[in-house]
Amino acid sequence: MLWSDPENKPPKELRDAQAMMRRAGVVLALAMLVAMFALGIR
């Protein structure tokens, strides 16, 4: 990559969607952990 190359940034909608998917993945992982604990305790 040269310093003069244009930045390869995705459009704002795509970046927003990626951020939302990342947050959804974190929430899903936490929910799975809570479910595992809840099932393990019973």
Side-chain angles (χ1 to χ4, degrees):
M1 287 272 298
L2 298 173
W3 64 270
S4 58
D5 285 346
E7 289 189 29
N8 188 15
K9 280 191 177 176
K12 184 177 185 333
E13 299 88 27
L14 187 59
R15 278 181 284 153
D16 288 346
Q18 284 174 339
M20 194 173 64
M21 290 299 288
R22 200 172 301 123
R23 281 194 299 267
V26 170
V27 169
L28 190 61
L30 287 174
M32 288 291 285
L33 281 174
V34 170
M36 291 291 223
F37 278 122
L39 290 173
I41 289 171
R42 296 200 307 126

